[in-house]
Structure formats: C-alpha cells, structure tokens
Amino acid sequence: MRTPWRRRTRVCPHCFRPLTRERIAYVCASRPACPDDRALASADPRAGSAVCGTCRRTTTRLRCTACGGRLPEGYLRTPGKLVALVGPAGSGKSTYIGVLLHELLHHLGAELDAALLPCDDTTILDYHERYARHLYEERHTVPETTGHDAGRPLVHRLGRVRRGRFGRERERVLTLVFLDTAGEHFASRERMETELRYLAAADAVVVLVDPRDLPGAPVRGGDGVPGRSGEVLARVLGRLAGGGKVTVPVAVVLTKADLLWPHLPEHSPLHRARRPGPVFDADDRAAVHAELRALLWRWQEHQLDARPARFCADYQLFAVSMLGTAPRPDGGLGLGGVVRPHRVEDPLMWLLHRFGALDRERK
C-alpha cells in the first residue's frame, strides 16, 4: 500500500529543500555500476522499491536529485522530527556532536531501548574520521572544523517505541541532522542559503552557548569573545521567528559547564547527574532551568533568557560538559585522557519528551 504524499512535511535532510516527487529517485543497490539507469529514474518513489533496468537488482534506496544525498530508509513514510544544532565558533559544536553520538551508540541508546541508524556509509565514515577517531582513539580534542568539512551534514535516525495508553505501541522518530559549520558565518552564499533552509526545516533547534563569551560569567580564556554567543542566539531567533513567535522547541545550552563548577555552590543542581532511565524527570528539569535563569541574571546576561522567553513559545536552558574537564594546552584530553561527559543528553531527553517519545514518570 502506498504512503500518502504530504509535500509540506518532508524536506531533504542533506540540502533541506522540499522533497517534491521530481526531486526523489531510486539508487541502484550495486552502485556505482548503474548510476543513471532510466528505469530507476522513472520509478515511483512511493512504491517502496524498484528494479534496476541495467542489472535487474531490486533496490529500496532513494536519493534527493537536487543534492544527490541519500535518504534514510523509511524516511518518506516516517520523516520524523528534524533537530538542528547551531552555535558560534568555539562553542564546542564538533565536540558535542562527537560525544552525543558516542553516548547514543554505546550508552544512552541501550538505556532508552532506542535505535540509532546512520543515513548511509558516508555518515558512518564522517563520524569516525571527523569526531570519534580524535576523541576516543587518539584521546585528543576534535580539530577545528574546516571549510571542506562544513556543509556535509551528519544524518542519523533515532527511533524509539513507547507503550502508550491501553498498551498500544507507537514509534517515535527523531531525525538528527548535525551541520557542523566552520564558524559563525558561512563562507559562501550557497552555504548561507543552506543554513537558512536548515533552520527553516527544523522541528526543534539546539543553540550552543560558550560561557566564556559571557562577560559576566566567572570564566575567561580560550576563544571566548564577549557577546558572540548572544549575537548568534539573537540571529537564530530572528530567522526562526519571522515577525512572530518561534513555534518550535528551542534548547539554549551552556557548554563547558565544568568551567563553572568551581564557582557554584555544592548543592547546585548543575552538579548532579541525571537519573538514568527512559523517563523524563520534570522536577530535575525545572530545577536546572531555574538555576540557570538565576545565574544568567546574576551575571547580568539576562538577554540569554529574556530573548527566548519573549520570542519562543517553548524553550529551556541547559548546562552540559562534553569532556568533563578542560583539555590540556596541547589539545590532549584531561582526566587521564578519558571523555567523561556530564548531561550532554539532557537537551535530547527534553526533546524526546516534548515529542512524546519517553515513558511517563511513575512516582
């Protein structure tokens, strides 16, 4: 049975253009032997499969004809909620991507009984070469994103089946699209247009903030530039709002929280770890959000809270540490060369809850 065609809910997770019927074509399973087969080019993508006229193999693989990117399996049937990640240079985007995906693959996925599926072999290779190899094999920080790496999104599908009322099982899917940009602005008009489509297509946005950019915060050093993170947040909200309110969930995330720990009281909720399990802890979420609001106002950085409070229908504040401590001057990891993340999954847990993919908390 064919899936109903809904143009408004589907965009390519690589170039973020609308996936009209004309922009989808099959890819032969024996690529690159049959890249331009006419039978595949004319086959209806809603049928679920097609037979290559050259090699006669059946394929279910689809691609976007606008950019050539391969679509995840089942994407037309269940595109999922697209989550975008943005942040200024130095905020830790690359490290956050590498650590969050590692946690999903090795720890959090099992804890949530969730499956993480990369879009294609390119995503698998890029994740290893650009992130995992540096962090978990060489025990070194992720190199600064270059113009060559920027613009190639990592696309993963995170699926979880939760049991709802009356024991009915329902699958919830997030399409995690990490566009690791080379700084605050794209170097070309094409990449700027890609960023605009990226934000416009998002069902949720995670904005990273470097605490070293906040003049009132008790941390300094490194690449921190006063006001930079606030400017990026303002620009993102401006693009999303379109003259009204931002209707998608927005997570504002202070990275490198380990720099703040020495300046926080011992009882601060920013010190404690998340209670494990596939449930959303509303009390803990409220405590962390309130603590961060108070800190921002104490540091006279209230715009980081006032802007999303004014222009977003749904936002939350988070604080995470990707590495657990500052790296050494040579880029090597501290704490014996081991990555020790703290609450990097919190924004994702909130979004899973927001989109109905977490179990109800039972007290």
Side-chain angles (χ1 to χ4, degrees):
M1 184 176 68
R2 290 182 178 177
T3 302
W5 191 256
R6 301 174 188 171
R7 295 189 179 187
R8 293 183 180 179
T9 60
R10 290 166 176 81
V11 297
C12 172
H14 301 280
C15 68
F16 317 109
R17 294 182 176 91
L19 283 175
T20 60
R21 166 65 181 84
E22 296 74 22
R23 282 190 177 144
I24 306 175
Y26 283 97
V27 177
C28 184
S30 59
R31 296 184 301 165
C34 318
D36 300 314
D37 183 80
R38 293 183 179 180
L40 295 182
S42 61
D44 188 347
R46 296 169 293 183
S49 65
V51 177
C52 177
T54 302
C55 69
R56 309 306 301 172
R57 291 189 63 181
T58 299
T59 182
T60 60
R61 300 177 181 179
L62 294 168
R63 67 179 175 90
C64 169
T65 59
C67 67
R70 180 179 164 186
L71 304 182
E73 291 291 332
Y75 188 71
L76 294 187
R77 184 180 70 256
T78 54
K81 299 291 187 179
L82 192 149
V83 179
L85 175 74
V86 295
S91 62
K93 289 190 301 293
S94 298
T95 304
Y96 186 78
I97 292 170
V99 173
L100 179 60
L101 288 176
H102 184 272
E103 290 300 297
L104 283 168
L105 288 168
H106 298 280
H107 304 290
L108 188 61
E111 179 185 328
L112 301 179
D113 192 22
L116 185 71
L117 183 67
C119 174
D120 52 23
D121 292 342
T122 300
T123 289
I124 296 173
L125 180 62
D126 279 356
Y127 164 66
H128 179 266
E129 290 302 311
R130 290 162 58 186
Y131 308 100
R133 177 171 62 86
H134 300 287
L135 288 168
Y136 297 98
E137 295 176 13
E138 299 176 359
R139 300 187 177 188
H140 198 277
T141 54
V142 180
E144 182 179 347
T145 301
T146 64
H148 173 71
D149 291 329
R152 291 205 319 267
L154 291 184
V155 182
H156 288 79
R157 301 260 283 167
L158 180 67
R160 183 172 191 272
V161 175
R162 64 160 293 194
R163 191 177 299 275
R165 294 181 178 180
F166 311 111
R168 297 178 60 183
E169 291 187 345
R170 301 186 65 179
E171 183 182 25
R172 292 289 186 267
V173 178
L174 291 187
T175 302
L176 303 177
V177 182
F178 296 130
L179 185 62
D180 195 357
T181 62
E184 299 154 57
H185 303 281
F186 287 104
S188 67
R189 180 181 180 86
E190 179 182 355
R191 287 183 175 174
M192 178 64 75
E193 291 175 352
T194 300
E195 183 195 43
L196 292 174
R197 292 195 301 269
Y198 179 53
L199 290 174
D203 295 292
V205 178
V206 178
V207 184
L208 301 187
V209 173
D210 188 344
R212 300 172 304 173
D213 293 352
L214 310 181
V219 292
R220 289 290 183 276
D223 299 323
V225 176
R228 177 173 56 181
S229 288
E231 292 171 1
V232 170
L233 176 62
R235 189 170 71 248
V236 169
L237 295 182
R239 290 174 181 174
L240 290 172
K245 279 237 179 189
V246 179
T247 58
V248 302
V250 175
V252 180
V253 184
L254 268 68
T255 59
K256 307 168 188 175
D258 50 276
L259 299 178
L260 300 174
W261 291 339
H263 308 281
L264 300 176
E266 190 174 330
H267 62 272
S268 170
L270 303 189
H271 285 305
R272 65 190 181 213
R274 179 184 62 87
R275 180 160 56 95
V279 297
F280 178 73
D281 190 334
D283 292 338
D284 175 74
R285 174 87 293 271
V288 172
H289 180 78
E291 174 84 346
L292 286 167
R293 287 195 71 192
L295 287 173
L296 290 174
W297 283 78
R298 186 184 310 162
W299 300 336
Q300 297 184 357
E301 299 292 342
H302 60 280
Q303 285 298 315
L304 284 178
D305 174 59
R307 282 170 175 161
R310 170 63 181 83
F311 294 106
C312 297
D314 190 7
Y315 86 102
Q316 286 284 294
L317 298 170
F318 300 84
V320 306
S321 173
M322 289 84 77
L323 302 178
T325 190
R328 302 196 305 266
D330 63 358
L333 302 183
L335 296 175
V338 178
V339 176
R340 299 183 187 275
H342 180 77
R343 308 197 74 145
V344 295
E345 73 279 9
D346 275 16
L348 182 61
M349 294 290 288
W350 174 61
L351 292 175
L352 287 170
H353 162 71
R354 183 67 177 73
F355 295 131
L358 288 185
D359 301 334
R360 294 178 182 272
E361 186 177 17
R362 297 177 180 177
K363 296 184 178 180

